[in-house]
Amino acid sequence: MTFRRATAGIALVLGLATTGVPAQAADPIKIGFFAPLTGNLANFGERFRESVQLFEEQVNAAGGIEGRKIEVIYEDDRNSPKEAASIAQKFANTPGLVFAVGSFSTTASLAAAPILTEAKIPQVSPSSSHPDFPKFSPYQFRQNTRQDKLAPLHAELVVDKLKGKKIAIPFFQDDWGQTTANLTKAAIEQRGGEVVLIEPIAPNARDFRPLVSKIKALNPDVIFLPVHYQEASAFVQQLRQAGVTTPIGSPDPLSNPKFLELAGKDAEGILLYTSFFADDPRVKAYVDAYKAKYNRLPDQYSALAYDSIAVGVNAIRTVLQSGKPLTGENVRDAIASAPAYEGLTGTTKYDDEREVNKKSTFIIIKNGAYVLY
Amino acid sequence: MDVFVQQLINGLTLGSIYGLIAIGYTMVFGIIGMVNFAHGDVFMVSAFIALICFLLLTTVLGITSIFLALAIVLVVAMFFTSLVSWAIERVAYRPLRGSFRLAPMISAIGMSIFLANFVQVTQGPRNKPVPPMITDVIVLMDSGGYQVTLAWKQVIIMVVTALLLGGFWYLVQKTSLGRAQRAVEQDRKMAALLGINVDHTISLTFVIGAALAAVAGVMYLMYYGVANFADGFVPGVKAFTAAVLGGIGSLPGAVLGGLLIGLIETFWSAYFSIEYKDVAAFSILAITLIFMPQGLLGRPEVEKV
């Protein structure tokens, strides 16, 4: 069985290399999708899947790409590198699959990267943030702006907008939180601010009162909070209940309506930024369609996934229109050389390192809603 | 000084919750010599029962008095959690009682996974919030801009823990149920010969332990405002540690152990690194076990011949 599948895979690769026409013109164009759909990051994967499914339906309802339907294959990697690798293998063995969206974390995305690269399937991750991800091979792209490009924005938020001189940074204890905290600390110090506390918050932690008492004693002017919304909501509640009224600034993960629901009135006045703002009139069509289908507002992660598949489908369309054979290699080139694309989360124009640099919008929480700052 | 007092209050509150859960571990271990790994998840289930009940009372029935609502929630949560724990004992542990020593423990691990997954499937994987309740605080000290505050929630948690500990201490020491429990603990066969209904006594032990866990669950929900299917694990492990630290089988030991774990965790976070707070708490456990294997208030194991 394994042997037969392997030979089929080899035959396919050879087929791609020699004839360049792997699939019949009438067949649907296959697109791979993988993200954590179960496990503790399922919240994000679910957002991805919802958007990709919406996009798939919209494209097919409009007659497909150049008359050909698309078919997305959905896979759950549970944020496990092992799963992601075997999913990538499955994609590599699927005839006619020329593009993949995934995954949520750099860990899972990078595990799939070698296999996808070998099979010449371009991969767009909506949210992998590690600097090394697109460096892996010319087949890796992402939709989010790289972390170190965001640090000056954080310093601007904390030092200029919130007028902070003494800053406390409780950060989420993972790769993203640690890197964001350290880079932001450096950027803040460069602007003349002082970081008086930098402490981790463990995933799923509930009790922040010791940390809150510590912050209260240090009396900073601003708290910068690179923490995911579940922990962040508990933290701000305990902070405000202890009578600490220090203004809070935060990066984009808190631009999630779930945060407002969990933190309630204690979320008031938090200043943050986002690359996707649901009340923006430019994204109204998408937001309405999403709400009609899923009965909730899309968030930044939904929008990033939508832009990820849009970039791939645009490239597929370019290849088909140019009359070139539809292969992963040609789709990759089309993604890399595509003109600037105005998506939901800003402009996608890949540079030589396959990175984007999207503009963020500052928003503030007022009366239980996000409004433009 | 003021920060110290504040952290002391934080630590005692956290420790009280651990202590309440720890009693369940210690009583079950005392009577059947088994670590009930599902106890942490029973606690988590109780927080969900409390959450559902609280939301029903406040939104559907429109009860506005938060204290009345809390009192009803407490009774309902204690009742249903006891029922759950009774059922677990009946289904998963009692049939294995004559089996080899590890069997009920493995069954307990299975129950723990079952409960967590069941709640995940029925309630979803996200944090479920309740609206903040009883947010008033008492200002104890106000020196140089730093206010030491004691929240009413914290007062409630500490008072309830103290009252329940007193109540259950009386139950175990002075009532016939308590005597039966201690008899079963010492020698199950002899107790049976003397007319004690062993199965009944063991069931009741599970029910009492679960009722206390339910109190902890309600307090936890009130204090933190959220419940999550994964919430049983960490407090469960900490409470188990507390039970071992205090001397497993000893009721006051469980509460003392809980308070100590809460305090160590809090003070370590306050004066050292938050990253290493669990390392600190568990190191103290290891050190205690090396030098005092029976725990702080436990009796040394006497080999029965």
Side-chain angles (χ1 to χ4, degrees), chain B residues 1-43:
Chain B
M1 180 59 197
D2 35 12
V3 181
F4 178 85
V5 174
Q6 185 70 70
Q7 299 288 17
L8 188 70
I9 294 169
N10 296 337
L12 286 175
T13 318
L14 186 63
S16 300
I17 294 177
Y18 290 156
L20 281 174
I21 312 172
I23 293 175
Y25 278 109
T26 232
M27 291 206 325
V28 166
F29 185 87
I31 200 157
I32 50 173
M34 168 200 144
V35 179
N36 181 10
F37 279 111
H39 192 62
D41 293 280
V42 169
F43 155 77

mmCIF file of all heavy atoms in Angstrom, chain B residues 1-43:
data_model
loop_
_atom_site.group_PDB
_atom_site.id
_atom_site.type_symbol
_atom_site.label_atom_id
_atom_site.label_comp_id
_atom_site.label_asym_id
_atom_site.label_seq_id
_atom_site.Cartn_x
_atom_site.Cartn_y
_atom_site.Cartn_z
ATOM 1 N N MET B 1 6.014 46.168 53.577
ATOM 2 C CA MET B 1 5.050 45.647 54.553
ATOM 3 C C MET B 1 3.651 45.574 53.929
ATOM 4 O O MET B 1 2.987 44.543 53.979
ATOM 5 C CB MET B 1 5.048 46.564 55.791
ATOM 6 C CG MET B 1 4.078 46.137 56.887
ATOM 7 S SD MET B 1 4.437 44.465 57.485
ATOM 8 C CE MET B 1 2.919 44.074 58.316
ATOM 9 N N ASP B 2 3.220 46.701 53.323
ATOM 10 C CA ASP B 2 1.861 46.706 52.763
ATOM 11 C C ASP B 2 1.730 45.692 51.626
ATOM 12 O O ASP B 2 0.732 44.987 51.535
ATOM 13 C CB ASP B 2 1.463 48.117 52.289
ATOM 14 C CG ASP B 2 2.624 48.886 51.711
ATOM 15 O OD1 ASP B 2 3.680 48.264 51.464
ATOM 16 O OD2 ASP B 2 2.507 50.102 51.503
ATOM 17 N N VAL B 3 2.794 45.603 50.793
ATOM 18 C CA VAL B 3 2.737 44.633 49.705
ATOM 19 C C VAL B 3 2.709 43.223 50.286
ATOM 20 O O VAL B 3 1.990 42.340 49.808
ATOM 21 C CB VAL B 3 3.943 44.797 48.751
ATOM 22 C CG1 VAL B 3 3.858 43.803 47.611
ATOM 23 C CG2 VAL B 3 3.986 46.210 48.198
ATOM 24 N N PHE B 4 3.469 43.033 51.367
ATOM 25 C CA PHE B 4 3.505 41.729 52.022
ATOM 26 C C PHE B 4 2.111 41.319 52.493
ATOM 27 O O PHE B 4 1.655 40.194 52.253
ATOM 28 C CB PHE B 4 4.482 41.783 53.204
ATOM 29 C CG PHE B 4 4.555 40.499 53.976
ATOM 30 C CD1 PHE B 4 5.398 39.475 53.559
ATOM 31 C CD2 PHE B 4 3.772 40.308 55.105
ATOM 32 C CE1 PHE B 4 5.457 38.286 54.259
ATOM 33 C CE2 PHE B 4 3.827 39.119 55.809
ATOM 34 C CZ PHE B 4 4.675 38.103 55.389
ATOM 35 N N VAL B 5 1.409 42.243 53.142
ATOM 36 C CA VAL B 5 0.067 41.938 53.651
ATOM 37 C C VAL B 5 -0.867 41.609 52.481
ATOM 38 O O VAL B 5 -1.646 40.651 52.530
ATOM 39 C CB VAL B 5 -0.495 43.120 54.481
ATOM 40 C CG1 VAL B 5 -1.931 42.848 54.886
ATOM 41 C CG2 VAL B 5 0.370 43.336 55.697
ATOM 42 N N GLN B 6 -0.750 42.399 51.414
ATOM 43 C CA GLN B 6 -1.588 42.153 50.241
ATOM 44 C C GLN B 6 -1.347 40.752 49.671
ATOM 45 O O GLN B 6 -2.279 40.023 49.364
ATOM 46 C CB GLN B 6 -1.297 43.219 49.169
ATOM 47 C CG GLN B 6 -2.185 43.137 47.956
ATOM 48 C CD GLN B 6 -3.616 43.551 48.255
ATOM 49 O OE1 GLN B 6 -3.898 44.713 48.489
ATOM 50 N NE2 GLN B 6 -4.520 42.595 48.271
ATOM 51 N N GLN B 7 -0.076 40.393 49.573
ATOM 52 C CA GLN B 7 0.242 39.076 49.016
ATOM 53 C C GLN B 7 -0.201 37.968 49.957
ATOM 54 O O GLN B 7 -0.586 36.883 49.519
ATOM 55 C CB GLN B 7 1.740 38.953 48.711
ATOM 56 C CG GLN B 7 2.265 39.951 47.691
ATOM 57 C CD GLN B 7 1.808 39.676 46.271
ATOM 58 O OE1 GLN B 7 0.857 38.941 46.042
ATOM 59 N NE2 GLN B 7 2.464 40.289 45.295
ATOM 60 N N LEU B 8 -0.146 38.251 51.268
ATOM 61 C CA LEU B 8 -0.598 37.276 52.257
ATOM 62 C C LEU B 8 -2.083 36.983 52.042
ATOM 63 O O LEU B 8 -2.527 35.830 52.052
ATOM 64 C CB LEU B 8 -0.357 37.835 53.664
ATOM 65 C CG LEU B 8 -0.596 36.884 54.827
ATOM 66 C CD1 LEU B 8 0.469 35.810 54.853
ATOM 67 C CD2 LEU B 8 -0.598 37.648 56.144
ATOM 68 N N ILE B 9 -2.858 38.043 51.818
ATOM 69 C CA ILE B 9 -4.296 37.875 51.574
ATOM 70 C C ILE B 9 -4.510 37.062 50.296
ATOM 71 O O ILE B 9 -5.295 36.109 50.265
ATOM 72 C CB ILE B 9 -4.985 39.263 51.445
ATOM 73 C CG1 ILE B 9 -4.917 39.997 52.778
ATOM 74 C CG2 ILE B 9 -6.433 39.101 51.001
ATOM 75 C CD1 ILE B 9 -5.317 41.451 52.693
ATOM 76 N N ASN B 10 -3.771 37.412 49.240
ATOM 77 C CA ASN B 10 -3.883 36.664 47.980
ATOM 78 C C ASN B 10 -3.584 35.186 48.192
ATOM 79 O O ASN B 10 -4.287 34.312 47.698
ATOM 80 C CB ASN B 10 -2.894 37.200 46.938
ATOM 81 C CG ASN B 10 -3.191 38.635 46.536
ATOM 82 O OD1 ASN B 10 -4.315 39.097 46.675
ATOM 83 N ND2 ASN B 10 -2.178 39.328 46.046
ATOM 84 N N GLY B 11 -2.512 34.924 48.924
ATOM 85 C CA GLY B 11 -2.061 33.550 49.123
ATOM 86 C C GLY B 11 -3.040 32.744 49.948
ATOM 87 O O GLY B 11 -3.312 31.579 49.646
ATOM 88 N N LEU B 12 -3.587 33.359 51.009
ATOM 89 C CA LEU B 12 -4.519 32.639 51.878
ATOM 90 C C LEU B 12 -5.797 32.276 51.111
ATOM 91 O O LEU B 12 -6.354 31.191 51.304
ATOM 92 C CB LEU B 12 -4.867 33.472 53.105
ATOM 93 C CG LEU B 12 -3.765 33.567 54.167
ATOM 94 C CD1 LEU B 12 -4.187 34.511 55.284
ATOM 95 C CD2 LEU B 12 -3.437 32.195 54.739
ATOM 96 N N THR B 13 -6.249 33.177 50.240
ATOM 97 C CA THR B 13 -7.470 32.892 49.480
ATOM 98 C C THR B 13 -7.244 31.718 48.536
ATOM 99 O O THR B 13 -8.034 30.767 48.495
ATOM 100 C CB THR B 13 -7.876 34.121 48.642
ATOM 101 O OG1 THR B 13 -7.703 35.278 49.427
ATOM 102 C CG2 THR B 13 -9.300 34.011 48.189
ATOM 103 N N LEU B 14 -6.151 31.800 47.788
ATOM 104 C CA LEU B 14 -5.827 30.725 46.855
ATOM 105 C C LEU B 14 -5.668 29.411 47.616
ATOM 106 O O LEU B 14 -6.176 28.363 47.204
ATOM 107 C CB LEU B 14 -4.533 31.088 46.123
ATOM 108 C CG LEU B 14 -4.081 30.172 44.999
ATOM 109 C CD1 LEU B 14 -5.101 30.173 43.885
ATOM 110 C CD2 LEU B 14 -2.723 30.622 44.468
ATOM 111 N N GLY B 15 -4.975 29.487 48.754
ATOM 112 C CA GLY B 15 -4.734 28.302 49.570
ATOM 113 C C GLY B 15 -6.018 27.690 50.101
ATOM 114 O O GLY B 15 -6.134 26.469 50.204
ATOM 115 N N SER B 16 -6.997 28.525 50.420
ATOM 116 C CA SER B 16 -8.268 28.008 50.918
ATOM 117 C C SER B 16 -8.946 27.149 49.864
ATOM 118 O O SER B 16 -9.502 26.089 50.168
ATOM 119 C CB SER B 16 -9.208 29.157 51.287
ATOM 120 O OG SER B 16 -8.626 29.954 52.275
ATOM 121 N N ILE B 17 -8.886 27.618 48.612
ATOM 122 C CA ILE B 17 -9.509 26.839 47.535
ATOM 123 C C ILE B 17 -8.790 25.504 47.362
ATOM 124 O O ILE B 17 -9.413 24.449 47.285
ATOM 125 C CB ILE B 17 -9.511 27.646 46.215
ATOM 126 C CG1 ILE B 17 -10.425 28.857 46.369
ATOM 127 C CG2 ILE B 17 -9.967 26.782 45.047
ATOM 128 C CD1 ILE B 17 -10.462 29.785 45.173
ATOM 129 N N TYR B 18 -7.459 25.547 47.364
ATOM 130 C CA TYR B 18 -6.703 24.288 47.273
ATOM 131 C C TYR B 18 -7.065 23.371 48.433
ATOM 132 O O TYR B 18 -7.219 22.160 48.266
ATOM 133 C CB TYR B 18 -5.187 24.548 47.316
ATOM 134 C CG TYR B 18 -4.621 25.213 46.081
ATOM 135 C CD1 TYR B 18 -3.433 25.936 46.157
ATOM 136 C CD2 TYR B 18 -5.246 25.103 44.850
ATOM 137 C CE1 TYR B 18 -2.886 26.544 45.038
ATOM 138 C CE2 TYR B 18 -4.705 25.710 43.727
ATOM 139 C CZ TYR B 18 -3.530 26.426 43.827
ATOM 140 O OH TYR B 18 -2.997 27.030 42.732
ATOM 141 N N GLY B 19 -7.178 23.950 49.622
ATOM 142 C CA GLY B 19 -7.462 23.164 50.818
ATOM 143 C C GLY B 19 -8.786 22.436 50.711
ATOM 144 O O GLY B 19 -8.891 21.249 51.037
ATOM 145 N N LEU B 20 -9.814 23.140 50.217
ATOM 146 C CA LEU B 20 -11.133 22.521 50.083
ATOM 147 C C LEU B 20 -11.088 21.321 49.140
ATOM 148 O O LEU B 20 -11.722 20.302 49.380
ATOM 149 C CB LEU B 20 -12.146 23.541 49.547
ATOM 150 C CG LEU B 20 -12.719 24.537 50.547
ATOM 151 C CD1 LEU B 20 -13.586 25.551 49.829
ATOM 152 C CD2 LEU B 20 -13.541 23.819 51.599
ATOM 153 N N ILE B 21 -10.337 21.461 48.055
ATOM 154 C CA ILE B 21 -10.236 20.332 47.118
ATOM 155 C C ILE B 21 -9.413 19.212 47.760
ATOM 156 O O ILE B 21 -9.726 18.033 47.614
ATOM 157 C CB ILE B 21 -9.612 20.753 45.778
ATOM 158 C CG1 ILE B 21 -10.281 22.023 45.245
ATOM 159 C CG2 ILE B 21 -9.747 19.650 44.743
ATOM 160 C CD1 ILE B 21 -9.600 22.604 44.023
ATOM 161 N N ALA B 22 -8.370 19.615 48.493
ATOM 162 C CA ALA B 22 -7.456 18.628 49.068
ATOM 163 C C ALA B 22 -8.170 17.694 50.050
ATOM 164 O O ALA B 22 -7.813 16.527 50.167
ATOM 165 C CB ALA B 22 -6.292 19.334 49.760
ATOM 166 N N ILE B 23 -9.203 18.211 50.743
ATOM 167 C CA ILE B 23 -9.923 17.369 51.703
ATOM 168 C C ILE B 23 -10.489 16.126 51.005
ATOM 169 O O ILE B 23 -10.428 15.022 51.522
ATOM 170 C CB ILE B 23 -11.049 18.177 52.394
ATOM 171 C CG1 ILE B 23 -10.419 19.256 53.274
ATOM 172 C CG2 ILE B 23 -11.922 17.261 53.237
ATOM 173 C CD1 ILE B 23 -11.434 20.178 53.913
ATOM 174 N N GLY B 24 -11.012 16.335 49.782
ATOM 175 C CA GLY B 24 -11.571 15.212 49.028
ATOM 176 C C GLY B 24 -10.521 14.149 48.737
ATOM 177 O O GLY B 24 -10.771 12.949 48.879
ATOM 178 N N TYR B 25 -9.317 14.579 48.360
ATOM 179 C CA TYR B 25 -8.244 13.617 48.086
ATOM 180 C C TYR B 25 -7.884 12.848 49.343
ATOM 181 O O TYR B 25 -7.719 11.638 49.354
ATOM 182 C CB TYR B 25 -6.983 14.353 47.613
ATOM 183 C CG TYR B 25 -6.974 14.715 46.154
ATOM 184 C CD1 TYR B 25 -7.112 16.029 45.742
ATOM 185 C CD2 TYR B 25 -6.789 13.730 45.187
ATOM 186 C CE1 TYR B 25 -7.087 16.360 44.404
ATOM 187 C CE2 TYR B 25 -6.756 14.064 43.845
ATOM 188 C CZ TYR B 25 -6.909 15.380 43.452
ATOM 189 O OH TYR B 25 -6.874 15.707 42.131
ATOM 190 N N THR B 26 -7.749 13.614 50.422
ATOM 191 C CA THR B 26 -7.226 13.040 51.645
ATOM 192 C C THR B 26 -8.219 12.046 52.258
ATOM 193 O O THR B 26 -7.847 10.983 52.732
ATOM 194 C CB THR B 26 -6.839 14.197 52.600
ATOM 195 O OG1 THR B 26 -5.512 13.993 53.018
ATOM 196 C CG2 THR B 26 -7.753 14.334 53.767
ATOM 197 N N MET B 27 -9.528 12.377 52.204
ATOM 198 C CA MET B 27 -10.517 11.488 52.801
ATOM 199 C C MET B 27 -10.607 10.180 52.042
ATOM 200 O O MET B 27 -10.652 9.108 52.643
ATOM 201 C CB MET B 27 -11.894 12.166 52.839
ATOM 202 C CG MET B 27 -11.931 13.310 53.830
ATOM 203 S SD MET B 27 -13.558 13.691 54.500
ATOM 204 C CE MET B 27 -14.624 13.404 53.192
ATOM 205 N N VAL B 28 -10.613 10.282 50.699
ATOM 206 C CA VAL B 28 -10.708 9.066 49.899
ATOM 207 C C VAL B 28 -9.453 8.221 50.081
ATOM 208 O O VAL B 28 -9.523 7.004 50.234
ATOM 209 C CB VAL B 28 -10.937 9.418 48.411
ATOM 210 C CG1 VAL B 28 -10.697 8.214 47.531
ATOM 211 C CG2 VAL B 28 -12.348 9.930 48.222
ATOM 212 N N PHE B 29 -8.303 8.880 50.108
ATOM 213 C CA PHE B 29 -7.076 8.111 50.298
ATOM 214 C C PHE B 29 -7.094 7.438 51.655
ATOM 215 O O PHE B 29 -6.742 6.271 51.809
ATOM 216 C CB PHE B 29 -5.836 8.999 50.164
ATOM 217 C CG PHE B 29 -4.572 8.197 50.229
ATOM 218 C CD1 PHE B 29 -4.040 7.635 49.079
ATOM 219 C CD2 PHE B 29 -3.932 7.971 51.443
ATOM 220 C CE1 PHE B 29 -2.898 6.867 49.132
ATOM 221 C CE2 PHE B 29 -2.791 7.194 51.497
ATOM 222 C CZ PHE B 29 -2.270 6.649 50.339
ATOM 223 N N GLY B 30 -7.532 8.195 52.660
ATOM 224 C CA GLY B 30 -7.569 7.654 54.020
ATOM 225 C C GLY B 30 -8.406 6.394 54.092
ATOM 226 O O GLY B 30 -8.012 5.413 54.713
ATOM 227 N N ILE B 31 -9.553 6.401 53.417
ATOM 228 C CA ILE B 31 -10.479 5.293 53.628
ATOM 229 C C ILE B 31 -10.214 4.097 52.715
ATOM 230 O O ILE B 31 -10.329 2.958 53.135
ATOM 231 C CB ILE B 31 -11.943 5.775 53.541
ATOM 232 C CG1 ILE B 31 -12.876 4.795 54.219
ATOM 233 C CG2 ILE B 31 -12.373 6.041 52.125
ATOM 234 C CD1 ILE B 31 -14.170 5.407 54.646
ATOM 235 N N ILE B 32 -9.841 4.339 51.449
ATOM 236 C CA ILE B 32 -9.588 3.156 50.607
ATOM 237 C C ILE B 32 -8.181 3.130 50.024
ATOM 238 O O ILE B 32 -7.875 2.301 49.185
ATOM 239 C CB ILE B 32 -10.624 3.003 49.459
ATOM 240 C CG1 ILE B 32 -10.778 4.296 48.676
ATOM 241 C CG2 ILE B 32 -11.943 2.492 49.969
ATOM 242 C CD1 ILE B 32 -11.649 4.134 47.446
ATOM 243 N N GLY B 33 -7.309 4.030 50.465
ATOM 244 C CA GLY B 33 -5.916 3.971 50.037
ATOM 245 C C GLY B 33 -5.749 4.174 48.547
ATOM 246 O O GLY B 33 -4.850 3.623 47.924
ATOM 247 N N MET B 34 -6.645 4.972 47.948
ATOM 248 C CA MET B 34 -6.568 5.173 46.509
ATOM 249 C C MET B 34 -6.502 6.666 46.207
ATOM 250 O O MET B 34 -7.179 7.456 46.859
ATOM 251 C CB MET B 34 -7.818 4.571 45.884
ATOM 252 C CG MET B 34 -8.012 4.957 44.454
ATOM 253 S SD MET B 34 -9.735 4.690 44.035
ATOM 254 C CE MET B 34 -9.995 6.029 42.940
ATOM 255 N N VAL B 35 -5.660 7.037 45.248
ATOM 256 C CA VAL B 35 -5.626 8.430 44.838
ATOM 257 C C VAL B 35 -6.702 8.615 43.786
ATOM 258 O O VAL B 35 -6.657 8.013 42.726
ATOM 259 C CB VAL B 35 -4.249 8.802 44.260
ATOM 260 C CG1 VAL B 35 -4.257 10.245 43.814
ATOM 261 C CG2 VAL B 35 -3.171 8.569 45.288
ATOM 262 N N ASN B 36 -7.689 9.417 44.111
ATOM 263 C CA ASN B 36 -8.813 9.619 43.200
ATOM 264 C C ASN B 36 -8.468 10.717 42.188
ATOM 265 O O ASN B 36 -8.772 11.883 42.390
ATOM 266 C CB ASN B 36 -10.056 9.996 43.996
ATOM 267 C CG ASN B 36 -11.260 10.202 43.121
ATOM 268 O OD1 ASN B 36 -11.221 9.890 41.935
ATOM 269 N ND2 ASN B 36 -12.308 10.745 43.687
ATOM 270 N N PHE B 37 -7.824 10.306 41.095
ATOM 271 C CA PHE B 37 -7.347 11.301 40.135
ATOM 272 C C PHE B 37 -8.471 12.072 39.464
ATOM 273 O O PHE B 37 -8.249 13.114 38.871
ATOM 274 C CB PHE B 37 -6.464 10.648 39.073
ATOM 275 C CG PHE B 37 -5.070 10.436 39.542
ATOM 276 C CD1 PHE B 37 -4.580 9.163 39.784
ATOM 277 C CD2 PHE B 37 -4.249 11.529 39.789
ATOM 278 C CE1 PHE B 37 -3.299 8.983 40.243
ATOM 279 C CE2 PHE B 37 -2.964 11.348 40.252
ATOM 280 C CZ PHE B 37 -2.486 10.067 40.487
ATOM 281 N N ALA B 38 -9.692 11.540 39.552
ATOM 282 C CA ALA B 38 -10.806 12.240 38.917
ATOM 283 C C ALA B 38 -11.309 13.393 39.781
ATOM 284 O O ALA B 38 -12.153 14.167 39.349
ATOM 285 C CB ALA B 38 -11.936 11.266 38.626
ATOM 286 N N HIS B 39 -10.778 13.523 41.005
ATOM 287 C CA HIS B 39 -11.326 14.519 41.929
ATOM 288 C C HIS B 39 -11.188 15.951 41.398
ATOM 289 O O HIS B 39 -12.099 16.759 41.546
ATOM 290 C CB HIS B 39 -10.645 14.385 43.289
ATOM 291 C CG HIS B 39 -11.317 15.165 44.375
ATOM 292 N ND1 HIS B 39 -12.611 14.905 44.768
ATOM 293 C CD2 HIS B 39 -10.898 16.201 45.128
ATOM 294 C CE1 HIS B 39 -12.944 15.758 45.720
ATOM 295 N NE2 HIS B 39 -11.930 16.553 45.961
ATOM 296 N N GLY B 40 -10.043 16.251 40.776
ATOM 297 C CA GLY B 40 -9.853 17.584 40.187
ATOM 298 C C GLY B 40 -10.907 17.872 39.134
ATOM 299 O O GLY B 40 -11.409 18.992 39.024
ATOM 300 N N ASP B 41 -11.273 16.849 38.379
ATOM 301 C CA ASP B 41 -12.275 17.058 37.335
ATOM 302 C C ASP B 41 -13.680 17.133 37.902
ATOM 303 O O ASP B 41 -14.538 17.813 37.358
ATOM 304 C CB ASP B 41 -12.136 15.963 36.277
ATOM 305 C CG ASP B 41 -10.818 16.112 35.547
ATOM 306 O OD1 ASP B 41 -10.724 16.949 34.656
ATOM 307 O OD2 ASP B 41 -9.857 15.406 35.924
ATOM 308 N N VAL B 42 -13.894 16.435 39.034
ATOM 309 C CA VAL B 42 -15.174 16.589 39.730
ATOM 310 C C VAL B 42 -15.329 18.051 40.165
ATOM 311 O O VAL B 42 -16.395 18.660 40.016
ATOM 312 C CB VAL B 42 -15.241 15.643 40.945
ATOM 313 C CG1 VAL B 42 -16.429 15.976 41.829
ATOM 314 C CG2 VAL B 42 -15.340 14.201 40.477
ATOM 315 N N PHE B 43 -14.231 18.617 40.627
ATOM 316 C CA PHE B 43 -14.215 20.033 41.004
ATOM 317 C C PHE B 43 -14.574 20.918 39.802
ATOM 318 O O PHE B 43 -15.400 21.839 39.895
ATOM 319 C CB PHE B 43 -12.819 20.369 41.553
ATOM 320 C CG PHE B 43 -12.414 21.811 41.440
ATOM 321 C CD1 PHE B 43 -12.908 22.764 42.316
ATOM 322 C CD2 PHE B 43 -11.518 22.216 40.451
ATOM 323 C CE1 PHE B 43 -12.521 24.091 42.205
ATOM 324 C CE2 PHE B 43 -11.131 23.524 40.345
ATOM 325 C CZ PHE B 43 -11.632 24.462 41.217
#
